[in-house]
Amino acid sequence: MHDLKDTARSLVRVSYGGGVHKTFRGPKADERFANEVRVLRHLAKLGCRFVPTLLEVHPDQLRIVTTNCGSRVEHLDEPRTRELFAELARFGVQHDDPDMRNVTYRQSDGRFCIIDFEFATIL
């Protein structure tokens, strides 16, 4: 596996098969884990195609596995960033951390995607 992010709040790794493994840690890890699972399931039920798909849930390890939504975006103008997060709101979700670090680019279909839903709110 290849580490993407290793912080006090989470460890994110990509497997050789392409799955993204996110392990929650630190303050309120169990709450953040449960929230991300709840939000991703909500978005999947509504057919949202520009967020990760939840593949596995491991509550005992506070770990999820999702599809890979592409690579990090280094440059994106503010109007386009706001537009992306507004599109998410149409699926009844407010991201609560609408920063460019939570935007990826999926080259397979040329789509900007949104990741990291541990602080998101279902409206």
Side-chain angles (χ1 to χ4, degrees):
M1 281 204 232
H2 170 70
D3 288 1
L4 287 182
K5 179 172 120 176
D6 187 359
T7 68
R9 283 192 0 219
S10 65
L11 172 62
V12 181
R13 301 173 132 179
V14 176
S15 70
Y16 296 112
V20 176
H21 297 248
K22 182 176 183 178
T23 303
F24 295 78
R25 56 191 182 193
K28 299 184 179 181
D30 55 339
E31 292 175 27
R32 293 181 288 110
F33 164 83
N35 193 61
E36 184 142 354
V37 168
R38 183 174 39 259
V39 171
L40 288 176
R41 285 180 172 158
H42 169 83
L43 290 167
K45 190 184 301 185
L46 295 178
C48 185
R49 301 284 180 238
F50 59 95
V51 300
T53 299
L54 198 56
L55 301 174
E56 298 175 26
V57 178
H58 302 276
D60 55 321
Q61 302 169 14
L62 297 181
R63 183 172 63 89
I64 60 174
V65 181
T66 65
T67 55
N68 190 329
C69 281
S71 57
R72 284 193 119 157
V73 173
E74 298 298 325
H75 303 286
L76 191 64
D77 64 26
E78 188 62 32
R80 181 64 177 124
T81 302
R82 280 194 307 274
E83 182 181 300
L84 281 170
F85 286 97
E87 188 175 357
L88 184 65
R90 285 183 249 161
F91 288 89
V93 172
Q94 180 176 313
H95 193 277
D96 290 338
D97 190 12
D99 193 83
M100 191 174 68
R101 73 177 171 277
N102 293 319
V103 176
T104 62
Y105 182 74
R106 190 171 53 211
Q107 199 168 24
S108 63
D109 62 354
R111 180 71 162 98
F112 287 105
C113 299
I114 300 174
I115 60 169
D116 201 1
F117 290 88
E118 60 191 82
F119 297 112
T121 302
I122 298 174
L123 302 172

